[in-house]
Amino acid sequence: MSTAWFIDALDPDAGIAFASFRSPEITMPSVVVDVPAIHISAPDFSVHQLTGRGLGLAATRGSFQAGLFLEGRELGFALPSDLVEFVRRAYIGRGGGNTTPGAPERPAPFGPSPRVPDGEEFGAGERRLDDLPWRATGDPREDPHGGRGATDLLSGYLEAFVDASQRTDYRSLTKDGVETVIATSVRAESLPAADPTPMLMSGIDEILSELLARGPSPSAPQAMWDLAVDRIGMTCLRLGLDDVFRQIVARLSSIPSSPRAYRGLPAVFGELEDRFDDLARWPVADSVARAVGLPVPFATVKDLLVTAVSAPTRLRALPPDRMPIVVFAAVHLQPFGSPLVSDRASKALNHRELIVEQSWLWLRAQLPHRAFAPEVEALLPPPGEERGSVVMV
């Protein structure tokens, strides 16, 4: 009988897996122990060779799930690299939200957003800052120089990923009938030179508009709301877009139901907060959450970014005009300073171009490079979904 790499034990929350090169026999009354075996673990997901399957089989007596199944059959992987990719993406997705069964439900950032019910037009009824300068001069997501920006490349990558997934058959049979998971290679393109300013302003607008719509709440008081706005302002300052930040926050008090006006630049300029935690402070619109399959009204920018790097097929449903949220999240995570130089205005654009290029290189490296068949992609739950195992179907 032919063989493949089968998972013996898997803990997606910890990013740990034990696998062995064998036939699909884990559900049999007796198993062969002396076969090639490997161990994979976060954070680097390197492959370590083991002397046998003993450790993996023993792990199933604890918190590890035994094997990986689809339609009642054990799934094997043709290559160890494909197995590593599956474990890595499962781990990243699980880290994007509350995944422990029975755990308390995480609060919605700054309370539920006033949105339309399910089934209505995408984005209908959402409050936006329509009087901002760039909204009167065309779509801010369109590059004025005609180049392909980061959001365009991200949309193109997602389309290519879904196409590669649909062209992949998880029932790739060997000559002896062992079903093995195969994957199709897919990579995002390199970022060409283009002015990223409109795209960045769009991402800032999207996040601040949602913060404005929700405002402080009993579960997230004024101080927390101020901090969420403050952290966006810090990134604006580092990007040389503090004037844009001023324009946006100056309008907060002009809307009758808005929270207290938040004016000026952030009071503190420093790295006292974790940037990844910042993403969890920024809610996304309910329509965005529904499109991607994230829990409403608890979804955040963090969940959106985690979905991009763990389950791209889910993000494909996001309209292109919302892609700047994901790119701005990647920009926010990058370590860079502000263009505090003489003649700052002329240097700011080059500074932003460099930062967005670095951010895209980082995001491009995090995006999955291997697309599984749709049935296998569906085994990877979205961030925030409470499941005790990846799959036992």
Side-chain angles (χ1 to χ4, degrees):
M1 181 178 290
S2 183
T3 53
W5 288 100
F6 289 88
I7 291 178
D8 293 323
L10 173 65
D11 185 344
D13 294 328
I16 302 175
F18 296 88
S20 54
F21 193 67
R22 55 178 175 81
S23 58
E25 60 178 14
I26 196 169
T27 57
M28 301 294 288
S30 60
V31 298
V32 177
V33 177
D34 296 328
V35 294
I38 57 176
H39 170 251
I40 303 166
S41 64
D44 59 353
F45 297 97
S46 57
V47 177
H48 302 279
Q49 187 173 355
L50 304 176
T51 57
R53 299 173 62 192
L55 286 176
L57 296 176
T60 60
R61 297 183 178 182
S63 61
F64 287 70
Q65 73 174 57
L68 182 68
F69 296 85
L70 178 62
E71 297 179 352
R73 300 182 179 183
E74 190 176 10
L75 286 181
F77 290 80
L79 301 172
S81 57
D82 293 341
L83 175 58
V84 169
E85 175 74 357
F86 184 87
V87 175
R88 184 186 74 88
R89 290 172 56 191
Y91 171 73
I92 293 175
R94 306 292 284 190
N98 178 12
T99 57
T100 304
E105 190 177 67
R106 57 176 175 170
F110 310 108
S113 178
R115 291 291 181 264
V116 295
D118 289 322
E120 297 193 23
E121 183 180 355
F122 188 97
E126 294 185 10
R127 294 169 55 193
R128 304 175 59 83
L129 304 177
D130 293 321
D131 57 343
L132 293 174
W134 55 88
R135 292 197 177 278
T137 58
D139 191 342
R141 296 125 189 144
E142 295 180 357
D143 176 24
H145 300 295
R148 298 190 66 198
T151 54
D152 190 12
L153 294 184
L154 180 58
S155 296
Y157 162 81
L158 295 174
E159 183 177 350
F161 189 93
V162 171
D163 179 69
S165 174
Q166 293 174 344
R167 290 186 288 104
T168 305
D169 184 5
Y170 86 95
R171 298 178 184 273
S172 176
L173 302 181
T174 66
K175 62 181 180 180
D176 294 312
V178 176
E179 295 180 355
T180 58
V181 175
I182 61 174
T184 302
S185 296
V186 56
R187 288 184 180 272
E189 299 180 30
S190 299
L191 183 67
D195 181 4
T197 305
M199 178 270 297
L200 291 171
M201 292 191 300
S202 179
I204 296 167
D205 179 16
E206 293 283 352
I207 298 172
L208 279 178
S209 294
E210 188 63 21
L211 281 171
L212 170 63
R214 302 197 184 204
S217 69
S219 62
Q222 183 73 53
M224 294 182 63
W225 188 86
D226 285 345
L227 178 60
V229 178
D230 179 271
R231 296 298 291 173
I232 298 176
M234 292 181 64
T235 298
C236 291
L237 181 61
R238 292 187 293 155
L239 289 168
L241 293 175
D242 41 291
D243 55 336
V244 174
F245 183 75
R246 286 193 183 95
Q247 293 171 10
I248 294 176
V249 298
R251 286 163 169 76
L252 299 187
S253 60
S254 64
I255 300 178
S257 59
S258 70
R260 174 178 62 85
Y262 190 97
R263 299 180 179 278
L265 288 174
V268 180
F269 183 72
E271 292 300 323
L272 303 179
E273 301 289 337
D274 186 280
R275 294 177 185 172
F276 198 66
D277 288 342
D278 292 337
L279 304 186
R281 297 186 178 100
W282 302 339
V284 296
D286 292 352
S287 57
V288 172
R290 292 190 185 98
V292 182
L294 295 173
V296 176
F298 313 108
T300 66
V301 174
K302 171 187 173 183
D303 296 327
L304 209 59
L305 180 62
V306 168
T307 300
V309 299
S310 64
T313 53
R314 300 180 184 272
L315 198 67
R316 183 65 184 88
L318 189 67
D321 64 353
R322 302 302 175 96
M323 291 297 174
I325 302 175
V326 180
V327 178
F328 182 79
V331 170
H332 181 75
L333 293 179
Q334 305 311 306
F336 59 89
S338 60
L340 300 177
V341 294
S342 58
D343 195 17
R344 183 168 181 259
S346 63
K347 300 291 184 181
L349 177 57
N350 291 336
H351 178 76
R352 285 193 291 273
E353 290 177 348
L354 177 62
I355 295 307
V356 171
E357 180 181 3
Q358 293 175 350
S359 302
W360 177 250
L361 288 175
W362 175 84
L363 181 58
R364 184 172 179 244
Q366 309 307 314
L367 293 171
H369 299 158
R370 307 280 284 173
F372 300 113
E375 298 88 346
V376 180
E377 289 286 339
L379 305 184
L380 299 167
E385 182 172 317
E386 296 186 359
R387 295 177 64 175
S389 59
V390 172
V391 62
M392 291 296 289
V393 179

